[in-house]
């Protein structure tokens, strides 16, 4: 049978927003994928409830090989800049989660 490629942009945003509402307060951090959603998509997700941009990558190839059209590399400054564009303050997490 035929299947579609994946969720629409609206479905991806809704999934993250519902996760924020439904999992709180047990799960405090909801992460989006800037590689898959792109810069503008991540800004929409930040307005819809995510508070974790994921990590920086250098020469990301897995998502691109699967057909993603956005994101290959983003610096910490690029992430802070993206967060600031939606009036959020970026904070770099440590390797060890507490």
């Amino acid at each position: 049978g035929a299947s579609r490629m994946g969720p629409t942009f609206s479905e991806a945003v809704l999934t993250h927003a519902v996760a924020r509402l439904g999992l709180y307060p047990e799960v405090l951090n909801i992460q989006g994928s800037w590689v898959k959603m792109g810069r503008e998509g991540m800004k929409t997700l930040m307005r819809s409830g995510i508070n974790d941009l994921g990590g920086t990558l250098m020469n990301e190839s897995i998502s691109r090989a699967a057909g993603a059209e956005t994101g290959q590399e983003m610096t910490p400054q690029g992430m802070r800049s993206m967060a600031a564009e939606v009036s959020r303050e970026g904070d770099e997490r440590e390797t060890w989660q507490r």
Side-chain angles (χ1 to χ4, degrees):
S3 64
R4 64 184 187 153
M5 295 294 290
T8 64
F9 179 78
S10 295
E11 289 168 338
V13 173
L14 181 61
T15 298
H16 287 84
V18 169
R20 163 60 69 212
L21 295 171
L23 297 174
Y24 185 82
E26 279 29 296
V27 176
L28 300 178
N29 298 309
I30 304 296
Q31 184 180 96
S33 172
W34 62 266
V35 174
K36 293 173 183 66
M37 298 297 288
R39 189 176 185 91
E40 292 305 312
M42 287 301 282
K43 291 192 307 189
T44 299
L45 287 182
M46 283 188 274
R47 292 183 193 105
S48 302
I50 73 158
N51 64 338
D52 189 334
L53 300 179
T56 59
L57 297 173
M58 295 185 329
N59 196 25
E60 191 286 328
S61 60
I62 296 171
S63 294
R64 306 237 346 144
E69 296 180 5
T70 59
Q72 186 171 9
E73 181 175 355
M74 189 175 300
T75 65
Q77 179 54 40
M79 290 189 157
R80 284 189 288 276
S81 171
M82 183 171 41
E85 289 173 26
V86 292
S87 302
R88 300 285 177 89
E89 186 175 330
D91 189 18
E92 192 169 339
R93 97 171 76 100
E94 299 175 3
T95 301
W96 301 104
Q97 296 293 310
R98 299 171 208 263

